[in-house]
Amino acid sequence: LNLATQDEMHFTVNVSDNNSFGASIITSQIFIGKYPTLEDLFLEMEEYEDNINQHNEDIVGDIDEVQTLINDLQLELLKSDELGWEEKNKLDDTIKEMENIFNQIEEISEIIDKVEEKADKNDLISDDLINKYDDFQNLLEEIITPELRDIMEKMQQHSADMNLEELLSELNNFEQSVDEFEEQLDRFIDMFEQAIAEQKIDEMIKKLESMLIKQQDIINELNSDNCNLKNIASEQRQIEEEYNNFQDVMKDAEKFSEKISDSTSKMINEL
């Protein structure tokens, strides 16, 4: 089947038995399969990306919480002669918060896989942008360093051994590693925002191409001997709906482009 966007496939499922006196056939209700429109595909991409942005916001807040816990713990340990129950709990909370951040990073990586697969399968964005999503995955793999995990394990070990001096030393190393982690995360967020802006421009191009092709099909049909005016009117309404969606995409593209290029944003605004 050579299906295109907005096409529907209506089908039933028939089941027959092996009755020797004559097969009995049962027919299911009619199932309708709809080929997603270009708008549907890009909306699904947008949902994935909104999810990533939400994770990014959550992680930024969680890192602030970790840094606050580190500072509080450092001050308490400097004042203490021994590691108390309260300090142990605060250290455990810090480790748990960091592990939660790691889990969110892994979830972002899984979502990026879905975005990349969806975009590549349906030819939604340029090859250059697909490659950038590969770069995102590499960056996310590098952001959780073995050194950071090693420091976290050492802090837990020194806490169990009640070794106050070594724990304080590793806590200082942990603070530096978390700062570096935050810098890498900020870099990822900046790169991701730039990719979203580029994707919106790709989306504009795809939708404009789609409208032009459909408009040309209408012109060809009008020039044919057996044109159907009812079908043409319906197709024209679809183009008008697509144009309204296209206007929304232009506004999004302009908004996202402001963060990376004033000239690009102004160019979109002038279209």
Side-chain angles (χ1 to χ4, degrees):
L1 294 178
N2 187 20
L3 297 176
T5 58
Q6 297 182 319
D7 284 349
E8 292 184 0
M9 183 170 62
H10 297 231
F11 62 95
T12 59
V13 177
N14 300 325
V15 179
S16 64
D17 58 23
N18 295 320
N19 194 327
S20 59
F21 298 101
S24 177
I25 300 175
I26 298 175
T27 301
S28 72
Q29 65 182 19
I30 296 176
F31 295 97
I32 301 176
K34 295 183 178 181
Y35 194 96
T37 65
L38 199 58
E39 181 70 16
D40 293 332
L41 295 170
F42 276 113
L43 279 175
E44 190 172 354
M45 289 266 291
E46 190 173 323
E47 287 175 5
Y48 285 141
E49 288 155 357
D50 286 345
N51 200 346
I52 292 174
N53 281 326
Q54 185 59 58
H55 276 303
N56 288 341
E57 290 179 13
D58 292 342
I59 292 173
V60 169
D62 290 342
I63 289 177
D64 288 342
E65 179 65 23
V66 166
Q67 290 170 327
T68 299
L69 286 168
I70 292 172
N71 292 333
D72 290 347
L73 194 53
Q74 285 173 322
L75 290 173
E76 290 172 13
L77 292 178
L78 287 170
K79 297 176 184 176
S80 303
D81 296 328
E82 60 181 20
L83 188 63
W85 178 83
E86 186 176 343
E87 288 81 15
K88 275 178 168 284
N89 276 348
K90 190 161 287 187
L91 179 63
D92 289 341
D93 289 342
T94 304
I95 298 296
K96 287 177 183 176
E97 197 69 51
M98 205 66 203
E99 289 291 352
N100 179 53
I101 291 171
F102 291 167
N103 290 335
Q104 290 190 77
I105 292 291
E106 290 176 6
E107 288 175 14
I108 289 175
S109 180
E110 291 172 3
I111 297 171
I112 288 176
D113 278 338
K114 293 177 182 178
V115 170
E116 195 171 357
E117 180 182 0
K118 177 70 64 177
D120 191 33
K121 182 179 179 181
N122 296 283
D123 192 27
L124 297 178
I125 57 179
S126 66
D127 291 340
D128 182 58
L129 196 48
I130 289 286
N131 292 334
K132 287 188 178 181
Y133 278 101
D134 288 333
D135 293 338
F136 293 158
Q137 293 290 39
N138 294 333
L139 180 57
L140 291 176
E141 288 176 7
E142 295 170 359
I143 198 172
I144 305 175
T145 64
E147 291 78 14
L148 178 55
R149 288 196 176 275
D150 184 55
I151 290 171
M152 291 167 63
E153 290 177 6
K154 286 180 179 178
M155 287 196 303
Q156 289 176 304
Q157 185 61 51
H158 294 323
S159 175
D161 295 341
M162 305 290 286
N163 191 327
L164 185 62
E165 184 178 347
E166 290 295 332
L167 176 58
L168 189 55
S169 175
E170 286 300 336
L171 197 57
N172 292 333
N173 293 335
F174 182 58
E175 180 181 28
Q176 181 178 348
S177 293
V178 170
D179 289 342
E180 293 171 356
F181 181 94
E182 185 178 29
E183 289 176 4
Q184 288 289 84
L185 178 67
D186 289 341
R187 180 174 166 231
F188 167 77
I189 292 174
D190 288 342
M191 289 171 61
F192 185 72
E193 288 179 348
Q194 179 176 346
I196 295 297
E198 292 178 24
Q199 181 190 305
K200 289 297 178 183
I201 293 172
D202 283 353
E203 185 177 351
M204 282 174 51
I205 294 170
K206 287 287 182 183
K207 290 186 173 180
L208 186 58
E209 288 174 346
S210 174
M211 286 188 292
L212 290 173
I213 290 171
K214 289 178 180 179
Q215 191 64 58
Q216 185 60 52
D217 289 341
I218 288 176
I219 293 172
N220 293 338
E221 191 171 351
L222 283 170
N223 293 329
S224 67
D225 295 332
N226 56 346
C227 73
N228 187 318
L229 294 179
K230 186 177 179 180
N231 287 345
I232 291 174
S234 175
E235 291 166 1
Q236 189 62 48
R237 283 194 297 271
Q238 287 182 5
I239 294 177
E240 289 171 2
E241 289 178 9
E242 289 185 20
Y243 179 74
N244 291 332
N245 291 330
F246 176 75
Q247 294 282 74
D248 293 335
V249 174
M250 281 183 62
K251 292 176 183 177
D252 287 342
E254 181 184 357
K255 180 182 71 175
F256 283 104
S257 297
E258 285 176 353
K259 300 178 181 179
I260 59 171
S261 172
D262 288 337
S263 60
T264 302
S265 179
K266 289 177 182 177
M267 180 189 69
I268 294 172
N269 181 260
E270 291 170 359
L271 288 177

